[in-house]
Amino acid sequence: MSRTVICRKYKQELPGLDRPPYPGPKGEAIYNDVSKKAWEEWQAHQTMLINERRLNMMDAEDRKFIQQEMDKFLAGEDYAQAEGYVPPES
């Protein structure tokens, strides 16, 4: 049986990650409070942001930007979108 968490983005009990996605306290917090669904959505959004904004993950400012946007996304707050992006209708 898979483990469940109360997802901080969706505010409901959902399947959790299999392991922390990062080392250290940040990874543990994500592991304990973020659902697999929210994490997979973040990874897709992160890829879109990196590509559309041409971010360089070797650049400390770009990494800081992605980190801040990840925190907003996973908390269910307003977060940066790619230019001209319109989310699909559900």
Side-chain angles (χ1 to χ4, degrees):
M1 183 173 181
S2 65
R3 63 185 277 282
T4 59
V5 297
I6 303 297
C7 180
R8 67 177 157 181
K9 179 172 179 62
Y10 291 109
K11 311 287 190 252
Q12 56 183 304
E13 189 171 348
L14 294 167
L17 296 168
D18 296 329
R19 66 183 73 70
Y22 292 158
K26 185 86 161 176
E28 285 297 320
I30 292 169
Y31 179 73
N32 291 326
D33 299 327
V34 175
S35 67
K36 186 178 281 193
K37 175 184 175 187
W39 184 252
E40 288 171 355
E41 289 174 359
W42 163 248
Q43 287 182 309
H45 187 71
Q46 171 183 256
T47 300
M48 186 172 44
L49 284 177
I50 290 168
N51 290 338
E52 293 295 323
R53 292 177 178 237
R54 294 182 168 85
L55 301 178
N56 177 354
M57 293 298 90
M58 298 296 289
D59 182 304
E61 287 300 311
D62 287 352
R63 286 193 313 270
K64 182 178 177 185
F65 170 77
I66 284 291
Q67 187 74 43
Q68 290 169 338
E69 293 309 309
M70 178 185 76
D71 291 341
K72 291 178 196 174
F73 182 93
L74 295 176
E77 300 172 4
D78 286 337
Y79 52 90
Q81 299 288 333
E83 292 288 322
Y85 175 74
V86 177
E89 293 184 23
S90 306

